[in-house]
């Protein structure tokens, strides 16, 4: 009877094993459309043998534990590529918005206003005392100032929008870091050496996926199924179940700092006056910090243009009128946001003044590193366009890499309904075979009992 009891126990365990495996397969099928779900399996291991008359006799199989089909190396590379893709996508998007401000064909926009300005001076050179020509010069001068004001305002609005988006991004990052810390805590409480909290691990990976779009980080496995997160420079973001960093933004649009609240560790910084950019975040948050540096440099270049324009006319008036009663542009306002005509822009027009003003059109200016005013504007547009092109190209590269790595990850962790159906058929057959063992063993035990 001992042998029959052992056989009955083996059959019963096989039934239980098959039930759990069928339930696991059903769980996989139910989550087939869940992109953050990792396929689960319930593998069995051989039970310990016992000594018998013929030697060591096997005692069947038992479930080891339900495990996830994951490739941690692939997942790490995928999260890194996702972060890089988000970085260049965000940089491209912000730079492309600025590109629209400087895109014109010479007929409209700032270049058009500058060309109209020179044409007005050319007309004045043909008729130095003409009232209509004087009025046209003043009107085109006002239009040029208005165009500079508009461009400066648009750049300032871009910077304000970037800061608002960055603050919202940091709020999302803080929420995800706290969520990962809380999931660490739940996993640590739920897991034992024999049982894994697989669904909680899936939730944590989904949070990691979302976090990777905001910043770049490294992960480190810790005891109890927990996961630690660090920035590239080693700054801790999440430690075990106890710590989640809180990123704070302080400053103004012109200069700000992003730091870890409790340690005052600076992880990103932008300083407008020196155009200094520091970034340890990467991802979309790092791209926004970098975008602030780009927009600020373009704003400075526009201010250089305005200052060179004011200074150039100031020198012309000094040479001709010595000293002039007033200047064409007010010398106290030399930025793109403030430039304006003086109260008496044309105190005494003359042919010499118009010719001198026209000479400024093609003159290389020291304030612009030897470039003319038109060449300097073209250089700003080229720099903006190059930033957009470079970011777009790198975005395509890293996005393709992220998609490829995600496909490889899904080939390991994703659900194939065909494979699950095959597994289900196999498990059904195992269940039926185990049930047959139990049935036949029970009949043999009944026969043995009747013989007694």
């Amino acid at each position: 009877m001992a042998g029959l009891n052992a056989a009955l126990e083996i059959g019963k365990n096989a039934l239980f094993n098959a039930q759990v495996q069928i339930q696991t397969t059903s769980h996989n099928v139910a989550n087939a459309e869940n992109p953050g779900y990792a396929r689960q399996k319930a593998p069995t291991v051989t039970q310990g043998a016992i000594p018998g008359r013929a030697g060591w006799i096997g005692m069947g199989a038992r479930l080891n534990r339900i495990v996830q089909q994951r490739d941690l190396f692939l997942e790490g590379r995928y999260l890194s590529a996702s972060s890089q893709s988000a970085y260049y996508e965000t940089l491209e998007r912000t730079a492309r918005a600025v590109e629209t401000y400087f895109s014109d064909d010479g007929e409209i926009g700032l270049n058009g206003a500058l060309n109209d300005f020179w044409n007005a001076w050319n007309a004045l050179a043909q008729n130095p005392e003409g009232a209509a020509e004087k009025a046209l010069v003043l009107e085109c001068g006002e239009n040029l100032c208005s165009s500079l004001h508009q461009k400066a305002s648009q750049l300032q609005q871009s910077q304000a929008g970037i800061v608002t988006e960055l603050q919202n991004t940091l709020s999302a990052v803080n929420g995800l870091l706290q969520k990962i810390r809380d999931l660490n805590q739940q996993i640590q409480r739920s897991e034992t050496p024999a049982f894994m909290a697989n669904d909680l691990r899936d939730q944590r990976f989904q949070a990691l996926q979302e976090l990777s779009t905001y910043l770049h980080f490294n992960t480190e496995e810790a005891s109890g199924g927990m996961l630690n997160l660090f920035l590239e420079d080693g700054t801790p973001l999440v430690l075990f179940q106890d710590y989640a960093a809180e990123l704070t933004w302080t400053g103004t649009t012109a200069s700000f700092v992003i730091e870890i609240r409790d340690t005052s560790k600076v992880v990103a910084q932008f300083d407008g006056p020196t155009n200094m950019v520091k970034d340890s975040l990467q991802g979309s948050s790092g791209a926004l910090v970098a975008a602030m540096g780009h927009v600020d440099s373009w704003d400075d270049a526009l201010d250089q243009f305005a200052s060179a324009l004011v200074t150039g006319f100031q020198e012309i008036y000094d040479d001709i009128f010595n000293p002039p009663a007033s200047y064409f542009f007010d010398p106290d306002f030399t930025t793109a946001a403030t430039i304006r005509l003086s109260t008496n822009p044309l105190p005494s027009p003359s042919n010499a003044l118009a010719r001198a003003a026209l000479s400024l059109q093609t003159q290389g200016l020291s304030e612009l590193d030897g470039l003319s005013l038109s060449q300097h504007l073209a250089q700003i547009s080229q720099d903006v366009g190059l930033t957009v092109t470079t970011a777009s190209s790198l975005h395509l590269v890293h996005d393709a890499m992220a998609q490829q790595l995600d496909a490889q990850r899904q080939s390991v962790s994703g659900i194939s309904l065909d494979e699950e159906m095959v597994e289900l058929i196999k498990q059904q057959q195992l269940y039926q075979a185990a049930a047959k063992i139990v049935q036949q063993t029970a009949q043999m035990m009944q026969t043995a009992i009747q013989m007694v």
Side-chain angles (χ1 to χ4, degrees):
M1 289 293 288
L4 292 177
N5 284 331
L8 190 62
E9 186 68 20
I10 291 173
K12 182 193 72 174
N13 287 338
L15 278 173
F16 290 158
N17 293 345
Q19 287 176 356
V20 173
Q21 290 172 331
I22 291 172
Q23 185 175 355
T24 302
T25 301
S26 301
H27 188 49
N28 289 339
V29 172
N31 284 276
E33 296 298 320
N34 184 352
Y37 178 81
R39 184 187 184 193
Q40 299 180 10
K41 293 195 71 174
T44 57
V45 295
T46 304
Q47 284 271 35
I50 60 173
R53 293 182 179 180
W56 292 95
I57 302 174
M59 293 298 294
R62 61 176 176 83
L63 289 173
N64 185 16
R65 60 178 179 174
I66 300 174
V67 296
Q68 292 178 308
Q69 304 297 290
R70 287 189 178 279
D71 188 322
L72 297 181
F73 176 72
L74 274 179
E75 288 182 355
R77 291 186 61 197
Y78 162 68
L79 294 175
S80 177
S82 176
S83 175
Q84 291 297 312
S85 176
Y87 179 92
Y88 290 110
E89 187 276 332
T90 303
L91 185 59
E92 176 193 0
R93 172 169 51 81
T94 53
R96 196 175 294 280
V98 175
E99 186 181 32
T100 60
Y101 306 152
F102 291 96
S103 60
D104 60 60
D105 55 3
E107 301 294 331
I108 58 174
L110 187 54
N111 281 300
L114 183 61
N115 289 334
D116 291 341
F117 183 63
W118 296 131
N119 291 335
W121 278 105
N122 185 52
L124 184 62
Q126 305 301 320
N127 184 16
E129 300 302 326
E133 286 77 2
K134 296 177 187 178
L136 183 61
V137 168
L138 295 178
E139 180 183 354
C140 290
E142 291 285 2
N143 288 340
L144 181 57
C145 291
S146 297
S147 294
L148 286 168
H149 296 166
Q150 182 184 35
K151 294 294 181 283
S153 176
Q154 289 170 334
L155 290 176
Q156 291 170 3
Q157 290 173 9
S158 291
Q159 288 181 306
I162 290 171
V163 167
T164 299
E165 184 177 352
L166 181 57
Q167 291 172 331
N168 293 336
T169 296
L170 294 180
S171 178
V173 167
N174 290 334
L176 287 169
L177 292 176
Q178 294 174 12
K179 182 177 181 180
I180 293 169
R181 178 203 60 192
D182 293 342
L183 285 168
N184 269 350
Q185 185 180 61
Q186 295 176 48
I187 290 170
Q188 195 272 339
R189 289 177 176 177
S190 302
E191 288 194 349
T192 67
F195 301 105
M196 296 179 65
N198 294 319
D199 292 337
L200 291 175
R201 285 173 176 257
D202 285 338
Q203 293 178 35
R204 185 174 64 186
F205 183 72
Q206 290 177 15
L208 292 175
Q209 281 183 294
E210 186 177 354
L211 183 64
S212 70
T213 63
Y214 295 130
L215 51 83
H216 186 270
F217 55 86
N218 296 319
T219 60
E220 178 187 80
E221 288 281 348
S223 60
M226 291 182 288
L227 201 66
N228 295 332
L229 272 61
F230 303 90
L231 291 177
E232 284 288 329
D233 62 0
T235 302
L237 296 175
V238 175
L239 292 177
F240 305 100
Q241 61 179 347
D242 305 315
Y243 173 75
E246 182 180 356
L247 278 61
T248 61
W249 183 96
T250 55
T252 64
T253 305
S255 182
F256 62 79
V257 171
I258 300 174
E259 59 187 8
I260 307 294
R261 180 184 294 276
D262 56 337
T263 63
S264 298
K265 164 76 175 183
V266 175
V267 293
Q269 185 175 359
F270 165 72
D271 184 61
T274 61
N275 198 26
M276 186 271 290
V277 174
K278 174 184 177 181
D279 169 41
S280 301
L281 299 174
Q282 296 299 305
S284 62
S285 57
L288 291 171
V289 177
M292 284 294 293
H294 285 294
V295 175
D296 184 69
S297 67
W298 299 327
D299 189 37
D300 289 344
L302 202 61
D303 285 342
Q304 282 183 317
F305 172 87
S307 177
L309 184 64
V310 172
T311 302
F313 271 87
Q314 187 175 356
E315 292 174 353
I316 290 173
Y317 275 54
D318 284 337
D319 290 340
I320 293 177
F321 297 108
N322 193 28
S326 64
Y327 296 100
F328 189 82
F329 294 102
D330 192 326
D332 293 330
F333 301 92
T334 59
T335 66
T338 62
I339 186 173
R340 66 185 188 184
L341 302 187
S342 65
T343 55
N344 186 20
L346 295 172
S348 179
S350 68
N351 192 31
L353 174 61
R355 288 199 306 269
L358 281 175
S359 69
L360 193 62
Q361 181 178 5
T362 57
Q363 180 182 346
L365 303 177
S366 59
E367 297 95 329
L368 304 180
D369 298 327
L371 298 178
S372 69
L373 291 165
S374 298
Q375 289 172 335
H376 184 72
L377 283 183
Q379 187 179 62
I380 297 175
S381 298
Q382 290 171 2
D383 188 43
V384 175
L386 180 60
T387 301
V388 172
T389 302
T390 303
S392 178
S393 299
L394 291 174
H395 173 223
L396 291 175
V397 170
H398 288 285
D399 186 58
M401 185 181 300
Q403 291 183 20
Q404 182 180 7
L405 289 169
D406 190 38
Q408 295 177 8
R409 182 187 68 85
Q410 288 287 351
S411 68
V412 176
S413 301
I415 304 301
S416 168
L417 292 178
D418 291 338
E419 291 182 14
E420 297 303 321
M421 290 304 100
V422 170
E423 286 292 319
L424 192 59
I425 292 171
K426 183 176 69 175
Q427 291 156 5
Q428 181 185 11
Q429 292 174 342
L430 288 173
Y431 188 86
Q432 291 172 345
K436 196 67 174 178
I437 291 174
V438 172
Q439 181 183 12
Q440 294 299 323
T441 302
Q443 291 179 0
M444 287 187 288
M445 291 182 69
Q446 185 65 31
T447 302
I449 291 172
Q450 291 173 356
M451 292 173 59
V452 176

